[in-house]
Amino acid sequence: MTPAARISAAIEVLADIEARRRPATDALKDWGLSHRFAGSKDRAAIASLVYDALRRKASAAWIMGDNAPRAVVLGMLRLQRGLDVDAIAALCSGDRFAPEPLSGTERERLDKADLSGAPAHVAGDFPDWIEPSLQRLLGDELVPEMQALSTRAPLDLRINTLKVSSREEAHDALPHLGAVETPLSPLGLRILPGEDGRGPAVQSEPEFLKGWIEIQDEGSQLVALMSGAKPGEQVVDLCAGGGGKTLALAALMENHGQIYATDNDARRLAPIHDRLMRAGVRNVQVRTPRAKADAVTDLDGRMDCVLVDAPCTGVGTWRRNPDAKWRLRPGSLEVRRKEQAAVLDRAAGLVKPGGRIVYITCSILPEENDDALAGFLERHEGFKPVSHEEMLGKSELGFLKNATRRTAYGLQLTPQQTGTDGFFIAVLLRKA
């Protein structure tokens, strides 16, 4: 396919997403099935165009004065890809499979491409209804923070210290990937996105298959380190899902002690078994719920640490899932808040005196972070938040003091501040 034909395809996919209100992955998959002549490189390039358009949907529509899929793609080519008017016009020739030629109005708007005077939700490319929430956290940094959340994310890897002795050893085994050491996590390697937005197929690398490395955002690595998990502890990962943080905790604990991994949705636990085996983890017991029954009732009051990687809106992952921000609705936030309250209350019953709850979200909305914890502390008087200094000091991450945003109860990581996804973490200690 020609570059122009790929742009036409991206416009077609965006129109399908808008008409049927469904995830981009589904629309892209259906397009590929109905256009089998398109090769893997074509499909990847089209996906990259679609995701870039979704990243800049509001700002692209603003400069074009139109929110139709064609206008959004044209505006994205100007804002995100940096193409000038002539380059965009050359792609829109009207020839076979190419988009129709630019109109005079489109040329004029692309030439100006002016975001001055745009409201914050346009300049930062996010739904306008969450602006008050974001303003509470970000203040004057609202627009630059949200612009950082609209960029492409790197591919981060975590070395598995159960299998490899050092980050340098893993790095030296993967020279062809062009990985560099992550600036904050002592366990991370980073692969920057290519021009087409694609990264390498890490899952097919021998080192991945041997369990030397795991795909995990640097922010996720950092909050796992801040859990303070130590060898010999008794830990519950209450929202384990596919097991990303379970694996990180097992490595921190050096396979000593016990981790009980569970999730109220048994389907989400399906990948964890193979991942544990590949990583060489021996101190994890997977507890699969049956008929919605609690799988960890026998552990009440016995745990040193309960990790709550809480269900959330995922606002902090919008670099990787740009279509999710346009599908977010106020009702979704309210559902997540109720789920967070329920899982925090369950965690309280598992923690022994002197133990701790580690609360994590991949969100930057205060409602899901500080507000959720404020409600918990009102309901449970026997807990107190651990100070920021203690949280960082115990995990030997004191250098993050000036990189993270301090909130009332925890620490917020953001793409602009830390170069990571938007993770929140707080530690609540049960009084002895």
Side-chain angles (χ1 to χ4, degrees), residues 31-103:
W31 187 93
L33 290 172
S34 61
H35 298 77
R36 293 185 180 277
F37 60 83
S40 60
K41 290 185 178 179
D42 292 321
R43 294 195 301 273
I46 293 164
S48 181
L49 287 165
V50 168
Y51 284 121
D52 276 352
L54 291 167
R55 287 186 176 92
R56 303 303 298 270
K57 181 179 177 180
S59 57
W62 171 271
I63 67 167
M64 298 304 295
D66 184 0
N67 62 2
R70 171 184 166 95
V72 170
V73 170
L74 295 178
M76 175 275 294
L77 293 174
R78 186 75 178 92
L79 294 175
Q80 184 83 357
R81 301 286 176 104
L83 301 186
D84 60 24
V85 179
D86 290 338
I88 297 173
L91 292 167
C92 299
S93 63
D95 294 338
R96 191 180 182 210
F97 304 124
E100 291 299 311
L102 298 180
S103 68

Side-chain angles (χ1 to χ4, degrees), residues 90-360:
L91 292 167
C92 299
S93 63
D95 294 338
R96 191 180 182 210
F97 304 124
E100 291 299 311
L102 298 180
S103 68
T105 300
E106 287 174 334
R107 273 187 165 274
E108 182 180 357
R109 286 188 168 275
L110 287 168
D111 187 48
K112 292 180 179 179
D114 186 12
L115 284 173
S116 62
H121 73 273
V122 169
D125 281 287
F126 60 88
D128 57 354
W129 66 268
I130 62 168
E131 183 173 342
S133 297
L134 296 170
Q135 190 73 48
R136 285 174 57 194
L137 174 72
L138 303 174
D140 293 341
E141 292 297 305
L142 171 61
V143 170
E145 282 281 12
M146 297 311 292
Q147 287 175 338
L149 199 56
S150 295
T151 59
R152 292 175 179 170
L155 175 64
D156 289 345
L157 310 174
R158 176 183 58 80
I159 66 158
N160 176 17
T161 52
L162 297 175
K163 288 285 190 82
V164 64
S165 60
S166 68
R167 177 163 60 174
E168 290 72 21
E169 182 181 357
H171 178 270
D172 292 346
L174 300 164
H176 53 292
L177 298 183
V180 297
E181 295 182 351
T182 48
L184 301 176
S185 170
L187 303 172
L189 296 172
R190 172 164 293 171
I191 302 169
L192 297 177
E195 290 185 6
D196 62 357
R198 290 201 303 171
V202 170
Q203 292 94 330
S204 63
E205 294 290 335
E207 288 74 19
F208 180 88
L209 298 173
K210 290 186 293 186
W212 284 25
I213 52 175
E214 290 288 338
I215 297 174
Q216 187 176 26
D217 178 72
E218 185 181 25
S220 184
Q221 297 177 37
L222 291 170
V223 294
L225 289 168
M226 282 186 250
S227 71
K230 298 184 291 294
E233 286 194 323
Q234 296 290 304
V235 178
V236 168
D237 187 348
L238 201 50
C239 308
K245 293 188 178 66
T246 304
L247 296 174
L249 296 184
L252 284 174
M253 295 167 65
E254 300 172 6
N255 263 336
H256 296 296
Q258 187 72 51
I259 302 173
Y260 302 91
T262 190
D263 198 289
N264 63 2
D265 186 346
R267 294 168 298 181
R268 297 186 66 227
L269 287 169
I272 196 172
H273 302 279
D274 288 341
R275 296 183 73 185
L276 293 171
M277 184 177 299
R278 180 169 51 81
V281 173
R282 300 189 303 274
N283 69 328
V284 171
Q285 184 180 132
V286 180
R287 296 283 190 92
T288 304
R290 305 291 183 186
K292 296 186 178 181
D294 193 315
V296 289
T297 303
D298 58 313
L299 305 178
D300 281 351
R302 295 169 47 194
M303 295 297 103
D304 297 295
C305 174
V306 178
L307 185 77
V308 176
D309 190 6
C312 69
T313 57
V315 171
T317 66
W318 280 353
R319 296 189 303 172
R320 303 177 192 281
N321 306 296
D323 63 320
K325 61 182 168 183
W326 306 116
R327 291 186 285 113
L328 182 64
R329 298 290 182 269
S332 302
L333 175 58
E334 189 57 34
V335 168
R336 294 293 175 259
R337 293 184 67 183
K338 291 178 180 177
E339 292 173 342
Q340 290 152 9
V343 75
L344 276 167
D345 289 345
R346 180 66 192 98
L350 289 162
V351 182
K352 72 180 185 182
R356 64 197 183 281
I357 296 173
V358 178
Y359 181 76
I360 296 169

